[in-house]
Amino acid sequence: MCSSDLDTQKAIDYYEKYLKIALETGDRAEEGRAYENLGIAHKSLGEYEKAIEYNEKRLKIARAVSDRAMEGEAYETLGTAYESLGDYQKAIEYHHEHLKIALEIGDRAGERLAYGNLGDAYQSLGDYRIVIQYYEKYLESALEIGDQASEGRAYENLGIAHRSLGGYEKAIEYQEKHLKIAIEIYDRTREGRAYGGLGIVYQFLGEYRKAAEFHKKRLKIALELGDRVGEKGAYENIGVAYHSLKRSEERR
Protein backbone atom coordinates (compact mmCIF):
# COMPACT_ATOMS: atom_id res chain seq x y z
CA MET A 1 0.00 0.00 0.00
CA CYS A 2 1.48 3.38 -1.03
CA SER A 3 1.78 6.33 1.39
CA SER A 4 -1.26 8.14 -0.02
CA ASP A 5 -3.39 4.99 0.47
CA LEU A 6 -2.11 4.72 4.05
CA ASP A 7 -3.13 8.33 4.65
CA THR A 8 -6.58 7.60 3.22
CA GLN A 9 -6.89 4.59 5.52
CA LYS A 10 -6.00 6.83 8.49
CA ALA A 11 -8.70 9.26 7.34
CA ILE A 12 -11.20 6.39 7.26
CA ASP A 13 -10.30 5.46 10.85
CA TYR A 14 -11.06 9.02 11.99
CA TYR A 15 -14.25 9.27 9.92
CA GLU A 16 -15.50 6.08 11.55
CA LYS A 17 -14.95 7.63 15.00
CA TYR A 18 -16.72 10.77 13.80
CA LEU A 19 -19.61 8.61 12.59
CA LYS A 20 -19.80 6.81 15.94
CA ILE A 21 -20.30 10.08 17.81
CA ALA A 22 -22.87 11.31 15.28
CA LEU A 23 -24.84 8.08 15.81
CA GLU A 24 -24.56 8.36 19.60
CA THR A 25 -25.84 11.96 19.60
CA GLY A 26 -28.54 11.30 17.02
CA ASP A 27 -27.26 14.07 14.73
CA ARG A 28 -28.59 12.98 11.35
CA ALA A 29 -26.91 15.80 9.41
CA GLU A 30 -23.49 14.90 10.85
CA GLU A 31 -24.21 11.21 10.27
CA GLY A 32 -24.85 11.99 6.62
CA ARG A 33 -21.64 14.01 6.42
CA ALA A 34 -19.69 11.08 7.90
CA TYR A 35 -21.13 8.72 5.29
CA GLU A 36 -20.21 11.22 2.58
CA ASN A 37 -16.58 11.39 3.71
CA LEU A 38 -16.32 7.63 4.14
CA GLY A 39 -17.75 7.13 0.66
CA ILE A 40 -15.24 9.54 -0.87
CA ALA A 41 -12.33 7.89 0.96
CA HIS A 42 -13.29 4.35 -0.06
CA LYS A 43 -13.86 5.48 -3.65
CA SER A 44 -10.34 6.95 -3.76
CA LEU A 45 -9.01 3.53 -2.72
CA GLY A 46 -10.95 1.90 -5.56
CA GLU A 47 -13.34 0.26 -3.10
CA TYR A 48 -16.43 1.17 -5.09
CA GLU A 49 -18.84 -1.29 -3.45
CA LYS A 50 -17.99 0.20 -0.06
CA ALA A 51 -18.39 3.72 -1.47
CA ILE A 52 -21.84 2.74 -2.78
CA GLU A 53 -22.82 1.30 0.59
CA TYR A 54 -21.99 4.54 2.42
CA ASN A 55 -23.64 6.77 -0.17
CA GLU A 56 -26.82 4.73 -0.08
CA LYS A 57 -26.92 5.40 3.67
CA ARG A 58 -26.28 9.07 2.98
CA LEU A 59 -29.09 9.11 0.42
CA LYS A 60 -31.48 7.54 2.93
CA ILE A 61 -30.70 10.26 5.46
CA ALA A 62 -31.04 13.05 2.87
CA ARG A 63 -34.52 11.82 2.01
CA ALA A 64 -35.47 11.48 5.70
CA VAL A 65 -34.47 15.08 6.51
CA SER A 66 -35.71 16.44 3.14
CA ASP A 67 -32.28 17.79 2.20
CA ARG A 68 -32.52 17.99 -1.60
CA ALA A 69 -28.96 19.28 -2.04
CA MET A 70 -27.53 16.34 -0.07
CA GLU A 71 -29.79 13.96 -1.96
CA GLY A 72 -28.50 15.27 -5.29
CA GLU A 73 -24.87 14.97 -4.16
CA ALA A 74 -25.49 11.38 -3.06
CA TYR A 75 -26.98 10.52 -6.47
CA GLU A 76 -23.92 12.06 -8.18
CA THR A 77 -21.46 10.05 -6.09
CA LEU A 78 -23.44 6.84 -6.59
CA GLY A 79 -23.48 7.48 -10.34
CA THR A 80 -19.72 7.92 -10.57
CA ALA A 81 -19.13 4.84 -8.40
CA TYR A 82 -21.31 2.68 -10.66
CA GLU A 83 -19.55 4.14 -13.68
CA SER A 84 -16.21 3.06 -12.19
CA LEU A 85 -17.66 -0.46 -11.88
CA GLY A 86 -18.68 -0.40 -15.55
CA ASP A 87 -22.41 -0.38 -14.79
CA TYR A 88 -23.18 2.55 -17.09
CA GLN A 89 -26.95 2.12 -17.19
CA LYS A 90 -27.13 2.31 -13.40
CA ALA A 91 -24.77 5.29 -13.47
CA ILE A 92 -27.04 7.06 -15.97
CA GLU A 93 -30.08 6.49 -13.74
CA TYR A 94 -28.34 8.18 -10.79
CA HIS A 95 -26.93 11.02 -12.89
CA HIS A 96 -30.43 11.73 -14.21
CA GLU A 97 -31.71 11.92 -10.63
CA HIS A 98 -28.88 14.31 -9.77
CA LEU A 99 -29.70 16.48 -12.80
CA LYS A 100 -33.40 16.55 -11.92
CA ILE A 101 -32.65 17.85 -8.42
CA ALA A 102 -30.03 20.35 -9.64
CA LEU A 103 -32.57 21.84 -12.05
CA GLU A 104 -35.25 21.88 -9.34
CA ILE A 105 -33.14 23.76 -6.75
CA GLY A 106 -31.29 25.98 -9.24
CA ASP A 107 -27.89 24.42 -8.60
CA ARG A 108 -26.04 25.50 -11.77
CA ALA A 109 -22.74 23.88 -10.73
CA GLY A 110 -24.53 20.60 -10.00
CA GLU A 111 -26.41 20.87 -13.27
CA ARG A 112 -23.15 21.28 -15.22
CA LEU A 113 -21.58 18.38 -13.33
CA ALA A 114 -24.57 16.16 -14.16
CA TYR A 115 -24.40 17.05 -17.87
CA GLY A 116 -20.70 16.11 -17.91
CA ASN A 117 -21.27 12.87 -16.03
CA LEU A 118 -24.12 11.88 -18.34
CA GLY A 119 -21.97 12.70 -21.36
CA ASP A 120 -19.15 10.52 -20.01
CA ALA A 121 -21.48 7.61 -19.27
CA TYR A 122 -23.08 7.69 -22.72
CA GLN A 123 -19.60 7.96 -24.25
CA SER A 124 -18.66 4.72 -22.48
CA LEU A 125 -21.73 3.14 -24.08
CA GLY A 126 -20.73 4.49 -27.49
CA ASP A 127 -23.92 6.56 -27.86
CA TYR A 128 -22.20 9.61 -29.32
CA ARG A 129 -25.30 11.50 -30.48
CA ILE A 130 -26.50 11.70 -26.88
CA VAL A 131 -22.95 12.57 -25.76
CA ILE A 132 -23.11 15.61 -28.04
CA GLN A 133 -26.45 16.70 -26.59
CA TYR A 134 -25.17 16.63 -23.01
CA TYR A 135 -21.77 18.14 -23.72
CA GLU A 136 -23.35 21.00 -25.66
CA LYS A 137 -25.35 21.80 -22.51
CA TYR A 138 -22.20 21.39 -20.42
CA LEU A 139 -20.38 23.79 -22.76
CA GLU A 140 -23.19 26.34 -22.55
CA SER A 141 -22.95 26.29 -18.75
CA ALA A 142 -19.14 26.58 -18.80
CA LEU A 143 -19.26 29.57 -21.17
CA GLU A 144 -21.91 31.21 -18.99
CA ILE A 145 -19.57 31.35 -15.98
CA GLY A 146 -16.30 31.73 -17.89
CA ASP A 147 -14.87 28.40 -16.70
CA GLN A 148 -12.13 27.75 -19.26
CA ALA A 149 -11.09 24.38 -17.85
CA SER A 150 -14.65 23.07 -18.18
CA GLU A 151 -14.93 24.69 -21.60
CA GLY A 152 -11.82 22.80 -22.71
CA ARG A 153 -13.24 19.53 -21.37
CA ALA A 154 -16.41 20.13 -23.39
CA TYR A 155 -14.49 20.80 -26.60
CA GLU A 156 -12.39 17.66 -26.11
CA ASN A 157 -15.40 15.41 -25.61
CA LEU A 158 -17.40 17.03 -28.40
CA GLY A 159 -14.41 16.47 -30.68
CA ILE A 160 -14.22 12.79 -29.75
CA ALA A 161 -17.97 12.33 -30.27
CA HIS A 162 -18.01 14.02 -33.69
CA ARG A 163 -14.93 12.01 -34.75
CA SER A 164 -16.64 8.79 -33.70
CA LEU A 165 -19.64 9.73 -35.87
CA GLY A 166 -17.41 10.50 -38.86
CA GLY A 167 -17.68 14.28 -38.52
CA TYR A 168 -13.95 14.86 -38.91
CA GLU A 169 -14.03 18.57 -39.81
CA LYS A 170 -16.17 19.29 -36.76
CA ALA A 171 -13.86 17.12 -34.66
CA ILE A 172 -10.84 19.17 -35.79
CA GLU A 173 -12.67 22.41 -35.01
CA TYR A 174 -13.40 21.29 -31.44
CA GLN A 175 -9.95 19.83 -30.80
CA GLU A 176 -8.34 23.07 -32.03
CA LYS A 177 -10.49 25.00 -29.54
CA HIS A 178 -9.49 22.49 -26.86
CA LEU A 179 -5.82 23.03 -27.74
CA LYS A 180 -6.14 26.82 -27.69
CA ILE A 181 -7.63 26.82 -24.20
CA ALA A 182 -5.07 24.31 -22.89
CA ILE A 183 -2.25 26.61 -24.06
CA GLU A 184 -3.98 29.70 -22.60
CA ILE A 185 -4.39 28.16 -19.14
CA TYR A 186 -0.99 26.40 -19.24
CA ASP A 187 -2.49 22.93 -18.89
CA ARG A 188 0.19 20.72 -20.42
CA THR A 189 -1.77 17.52 -19.83
CA ARG A 190 -4.75 18.82 -21.81
CA GLU A 191 -2.44 20.31 -24.44
CA GLY A 192 -0.93 16.87 -24.99
CA ARG A 193 -4.35 15.24 -25.22
CA ALA A 194 -5.47 17.86 -27.76
CA TYR A 195 -2.43 17.11 -29.95
CA GLY A 196 -3.23 13.41 -29.70
CA GLY A 197 -6.89 14.02 -30.55
CA LEU A 198 -5.94 16.04 -33.61
CA GLY A 199 -3.48 13.37 -34.68
CA ILE A 200 -6.15 10.68 -34.56
CA VAL A 201 -8.57 12.75 -36.65
CA TYR A 202 -5.93 13.39 -39.31
CA GLN A 203 -5.20 9.65 -39.39
CA PHE A 204 -8.86 9.03 -40.22
CA LEU A 205 -8.61 11.65 -42.96
CA GLY A 206 -5.59 9.86 -44.45
CA GLU A 207 -3.25 12.79 -43.72
CA TYR A 208 -0.63 10.58 -42.11
CA ARG A 209 2.31 12.99 -42.09
CA LYS A 210 0.21 15.63 -40.35
CA ALA A 211 -1.06 12.97 -37.94
CA ALA A 212 2.51 11.93 -37.10
CA GLU A 213 3.51 15.54 -36.38
CA PHE A 214 0.66 15.96 -33.88
CA HIS A 215 1.47 12.65 -32.22
CA LYS A 216 5.12 13.72 -31.90
CA LYS A 217 3.97 16.85 -30.06
CA ARG A 218 1.86 14.60 -27.85
CA LEU A 219 4.90 12.43 -27.19
CA LYS A 220 7.10 15.41 -26.29
CA ILE A 221 4.66 16.54 -23.62
CA ALA A 222 4.15 13.01 -22.30
CA LEU A 223 7.92 12.61 -21.86
CA GLU A 224 8.13 16.02 -20.20
CA LEU A 225 5.38 15.13 -17.71
CA GLY A 226 6.45 11.53 -17.12
CA ASP A 227 3.10 10.38 -18.50
CA ARG A 228 3.85 6.76 -19.37
CA VAL A 229 0.34 6.01 -20.62
CA GLY A 230 0.41 9.05 -22.91
CA GLU A 231 3.92 8.14 -24.05
CA LYS A 232 2.84 4.59 -24.91
CA GLY A 233 -0.20 5.83 -26.87
CA ALA A 234 1.90 8.37 -28.76
CA TYR A 235 4.48 5.77 -29.79
CA GLU A 236 1.73 3.48 -31.04
CA ASN A 237 -0.02 6.24 -33.01
CA ILE A 238 3.22 7.50 -34.56
CA GLY A 239 3.94 3.93 -35.66
CA VAL A 240 0.44 3.55 -37.12
CA ALA A 241 0.74 6.87 -38.96
CA TYR A 242 4.07 5.98 -40.61
CA HIS A 243 2.93 2.45 -41.40
CA SER A 244 -0.24 3.81 -43.01
CA LEU A 245 1.82 6.37 -44.94
CA LYS A 246 4.06 3.62 -46.35
CA ARG A 247 1.08 1.51 -47.42
CA SER A 248 -0.65 4.50 -49.06
CA GLU A 249 2.53 5.31 -51.03
CA GLU A 250 2.86 1.68 -52.17
CA ARG A 251 -0.70 1.77 -53.54
CA ARG A 252 0.04 4.77 -55.76
Side-chain angles (χ1 to χ4, degrees):
M1 188 178 285
C2 68
S3 60
S4 62
D5 286 350
L6 287 170
D7 288 339
T8 303
Q9 190 57 57
K10 285 180 186 176
I12 288 170
D13 293 341
Y14 284 108
Y15 288 144
E16 286 175 345
K17 290 174 182 176
Y18 173 66
L19 172 61
K20 184 180 178 183
I21 293 173
L23 289 167
E24 286 172 358
T25 59
D27 189 328
R28 300 304 300 280
E30 292 300 316
E31 183 185 347
R33 192 170 167 186
Y35 290 139
E36 175 188 7
N37 288 322
L38 283 163
I40 291 168
H42 282 288
K43 184 183 173 188
S44 73
L45 291 174
E47 297 171 354
Y48 302 115
E49 289 88 352
K50 202 77 176 172
I52 288 167
E53 177 188 332
Y54 281 118
N55 273 286
E56 283 176 343
K57 289 179 179 179
R58 182 186 178 203
L59 178 60
K60 186 177 179 181
I61 288 173
R63 288 170 173 165
V65 300
S66 300
D67 187 332
R68 294 293 274 165
M70 186 195 294
E71 187 180 347
E73 290 167 2
Y75 283 132
E76 192 275 330
T77 310
L78 283 164
T80 55
Y82 276 109
E83 198 167 339
S84 297
L85 288 171
D87 191 342
Y88 303 115
Q89 291 294 351
K90 193 86 171 175
I92 286 167
E93 288 175 26
Y94 282 117
H95 290 319
H96 272 300
E97 291 297 329
H98 176 213
L99 176 60
K100 180 181 174 183
I101 290 174
L103 289 167
E104 178 190 310
I105 66 176
D107 177 6
R108 291 292 282 159
E111 182 185 342
R112 185 172 66 258
L113 181 59
Y115 288 140
N117 284 331
L118 282 162
D120 291 344
Y122 279 109
Q123 186 164 296
S124 296
L125 289 172
D127 200 335
Y128 298 107
R129 294 190 189 282
I130 297 181
V131 171
I132 289 168
Q133 290 174 22
Y134 282 114
Y135 263 106
E136 282 178 346
K137 290 179 179 178
Y138 180 90
L139 174 60
E140 182 183 340
S141 177
L143 289 167
E144 185 180 294
I145 62 169
D147 182 344
Q148 281 192 298
S150 294
E151 186 184 346
R153 177 186 170 189
Y155 289 139
E156 178 181 20
N157 285 286
L158 284 165
I160 292 168
H162 279 287
R163 184 192 77 209
S164 300
L165 291 171
Y168 302 127
E169 297 305 323
K170 202 75 176 171
I172 289 170
E173 178 188 332
Y174 281 121
Q175 289 295 352
E176 285 177 343
K177 288 180 178 179
H178 176 211
L179 175 61
K180 183 181 177 184
I181 286 177
I183 291 170
E184 283 177 2
I185 65 175
Y186 305 104
D187 188 331
R188 295 289 279 166
T189 299
R190 282 205 168 278
E191 184 182 348
R193 291 216 305 263
Y195 286 133
L198 283 163
I200 291 169
V201 179
Y202 280 110
Q203 278 177 227
F204 278 110
L205 287 170
E207 297 186 37
Y208 303 119
R209 289 191 189 279
K210 200 161 189 175
E213 290 309 309
F214 278 117
H215 289 311
K216 285 176 183 177
K217 289 179 179 180
R218 167 72 164 124
L219 175 61
K220 182 180 177 183
I221 291 175
L223 290 168
E224 176 189 312
L225 298 177
D227 175 7
R228 295 289 282 168
V229 174
E231 182 185 347
K232 177 171 65 71
Y235 284 136
E236 179 183 11
N237 283 314
I238 292 168
V240 168
Y242 279 117
H243 188 204
S244 299
L245 178 64
K246 182 177 185 299
R247 288 193 303 177
S248 68
E249 288 175 345
E250 287 174 347
R251 287 195 293 267
R252 288 175 188 171

